[in-house]
């Protein structure tokens, strides 16, 4: 491979996948309880990607966890939607007992960090983000089989800030529930978990509740229930229907009412497709909307 770039100018890959297509850099984009995510490059397409690594030896006693990781990855490969992080490739490194998968990368990271960095954001912009999150949820919930995310929060919603495009990621706790649309295990991030999740009998509407908490965080910059110093206190408030103190900071009555809709009891809680038709989104278009005239840099709400 002849090239004018000398080796010292070229950023070295620390690892290349078996096909030779993807190269991993040493730079860490994020790490969680289960996986580390590195910056990487797709040499064939010439695009940056995310290289996710899960050390399976951490779960050598926990076959259920390994099975779940595999099913997540198989599931992710079948999902194709503008508002869901795409999965490009997956393989297992048998020697090091690592599960590797290559996913789409969002240039501006997650919505929690992005929102902290940009403190002056209009309600219109928040509505645009919200609409895209709901489109992703609508896709998951109407998928066959139905997919419940179960751990939706602002740290696993990602953004391409240059075009204001929002995508749901980290489907590590997702459940496919098929026709019954009900699931039975307790998982998630306590501040964002719907009360019925604790009863271990719930449907995809738990994601709508979590979405309501995401919107609350986007509006107030407060983590819901940050007044509670432990999980037991959060659990007590959630299950008895006590709203987070952050609700008091929401000054716009329309926004507050919309959040309340999302946090309603399961029977009264609207679906993602219902919420997308809500007057809350009147006049809000994004680039994916057929009738959307609202393409930056020509705002049309003069």
């Amino acid at each position: 491979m002849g090239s004018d770039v000398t080796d010292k100018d070229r950023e070295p890959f620390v690892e290349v996948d078996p096909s030779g297509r993807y190269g991993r850099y040493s730079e860490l984009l994020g790490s969680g309880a289960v996986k580390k995510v590195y910056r990487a490059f797709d040499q064939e397409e010439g695009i940056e990607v995310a290289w996710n690594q899960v050390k399976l030896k951490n779960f050598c006693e926990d076959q259920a966890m390994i099975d779940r990781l595999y099913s997540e990855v198989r599931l992710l490969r079948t999902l194709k939607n503008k508002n869901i992080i795409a999965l490009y490739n997956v393989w297992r490194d048998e020697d090091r007992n690592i599960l590797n998968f290559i996913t789409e990368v969002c240039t501006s990271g997650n919505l929690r960090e992005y929102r902290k960095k940009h403190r002056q954001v209009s309600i219109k912009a928040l509505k645009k983000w919200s609409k895209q999150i709901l489109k992703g949820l609508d896709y998951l919930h109407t998928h066959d089989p139905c997919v419940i995310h179960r751990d939706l929060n602002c740290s696993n919603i990602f953004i391409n800030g240059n075009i204001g495009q929002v995508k749901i990621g980290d489907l590590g706790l997702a459940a496919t529930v098929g026709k019954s649309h009900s699931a039975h295990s307790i998982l998630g991030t306590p501040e964002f978990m719907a009360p019925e999740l604790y009863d271990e009998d719930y449907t995809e509407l738990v994601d709508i509740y979590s979405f309501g908490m995401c919107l609350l965080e986007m509006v107030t910059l407060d983590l819901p229930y940050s007044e509670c110093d432990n999980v037991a206190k959060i659990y007590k408030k959630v299950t008895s229907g006590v709203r987070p103190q952050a609700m008091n900071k929401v000054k716009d009555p329309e926004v507050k009412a919309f959040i309340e809709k999302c946090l309603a009891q399961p029977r009264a809680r609207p679906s993602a497709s219902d919420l997308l038709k809500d007057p809350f989104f009147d006049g809000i278009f994004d680039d994916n909307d057929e009738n959307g005239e609202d393409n930056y840099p020509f705002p049309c709400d003069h």
Side-chain angles (χ1 to χ4, degrees):
M1 281 176 32
S3 162
D4 295 337
V5 182
T6 61
D7 281 343
K8 70 173 171 39
D9 294 333
R10 192 182 292 126
E11 188 177 0
F13 291 141
V14 289
E15 188 177 352
V16 176
D17 81 300
S19 73
R21 173 173 175 173
Y22 301 102
R24 176 170 82 76
Y25 298 117
S26 55
E27 185 190 335
L28 199 61
L29 294 176
S31 66
V34 177
K35 67 179 178 188
K36 285 189 158 66
V37 186
Y38 295 91
R39 197 162 68 79
F41 190 66
D42 175 348
Q43 300 178 86
E44 193 171 304
E45 292 294 329
I47 57 171
E48 292 206 341
V49 291
W51 181 312
N52 303 255
Q53 286 196 330
V54 180
K55 287 201 166 92
L56 294 176
K57 70 169 189 292
N58 296 351
F59 312 108
C60 52
E61 302 303 312
D62 190 352
Q63 190 54 44
M65 183 68 171
I66 291 180
D67 292 345
R68 211 181 73 206
L69 286 166
Y70 275 111
S71 64
E72 169 199 0
V73 167
R74 280 198 295 274
L75 166 70
L76 272 172
R77 290 196 86 155
T78 68
L79 303 177
K80 298 275 181 283
N81 181 269
K82 290 189 185 82
N83 300 117
I84 305 285
I85 292 281
L87 174 72
Y88 300 130
N89 198 8
V90 57
W91 71 97
R92 183 172 178 174
D93 180 337
E94 299 289 351
D95 298 338
R96 294 159 62 212
N97 204 14
I98 286 175
L99 181 67
N100 294 286
F101 50 105
I102 304 290
T103 56
E104 184 178 5
V105 70
C106 287
T107 53
S108 309
N110 72 51
L111 203 48
R112 178 168 295 155
E113 299 306 320
Y114 188 76
R115 180 69 181 92
K116 279 184 194 157
K117 201 161 80 180
H118 302 287
R119 301 185 85 84
Q120 308 300 320
V121 179
S122 70
I123 290 295
K124 179 182 169 186
L126 295 179
K127 285 183 179 185
K128 283 190 167 192
W129 296 348
S130 299
K131 188 173 180 182
Q132 293 178 70
I133 298 165
L134 285 170
K135 281 183 169 183
L137 288 178
D138 187 39
Y139 173 79
L140 292 176
H141 294 168
T142 56
H143 189 269
D144 186 15
C146 167
V147 178
I148 311 179
H149 189 290
R150 298 201 288 189
D151 191 26
L152 189 73
N153 63 73
C154 291
S155 72
N156 54 31
I157 299 167
F158 299 90
I159 184 160
N160 286 319
N162 55 332
I163 51 173
Q165 182 185 48
V166 175
K167 294 173 184 267
I168 297 170
D170 266 0
L171 281 100
L173 294 177
T176 47
V177 291
K179 300 282 178 277
S180 70
H181 285 226
S182 70
H184 304 280
S185 55
I186 299 186
L187 294 156
T189 305
E191 299 85 341
F192 292 81
M193 281 165 61
E196 68 271 21
L197 254 166
Y198 293 104
D199 300 333
E200 298 185 56
D201 186 13
Y202 53 88
T203 69
E204 66 273 15
L205 294 175
V206 296
D207 288 342
I208 301 300
Y209 178 97
S210 302
F211 162 76
M213 289 296 184
C214 289
L215 181 53
L216 178 61
E217 182 183 340
M218 286 191 270
V219 172
T220 62
L221 285 165
D222 280 3
L223 201 61
Y225 296 111
S226 53
E227 64 274 14
C228 299
D229 55 17
N230 63 47
V231 173
K233 288 179 183 167
I234 295 172
Y235 166 76
K236 196 173 172 190
K237 289 198 172 184
V238 170
T239 49
S240 52
V242 178
R243 296 289 182 248
Q245 280 179 10
M247 280 296 262
N248 302 327
K249 286 176 72 173
V250 183
K251 298 293 177 258
D252 185 319
E254 184 200 27
V255 175
K256 197 168 200 168
F258 186 76
I259 294 173
E260 280 291 356
K261 269 185 198 177
C262 302
L263 304 183
Q265 289 302 315
R267 286 168 196 276
R269 204 178 298 151
S271 68
S273 59
D274 292 336
L275 288 171
L276 284 165
K277 298 184 196 99
D278 195 280
F280 185 72
F281 293 112
D282 286 357
I284 299 295
F285 301 113
D286 60 64
D287 294 351
N288 310 342
D289 287 340
E290 291 70 34
N291 56 346
E293 304 295 321
D294 198 2
N295 287 358
Y296 198 80
F298 306 107
C300 44
D301 55 343
H302 300 302

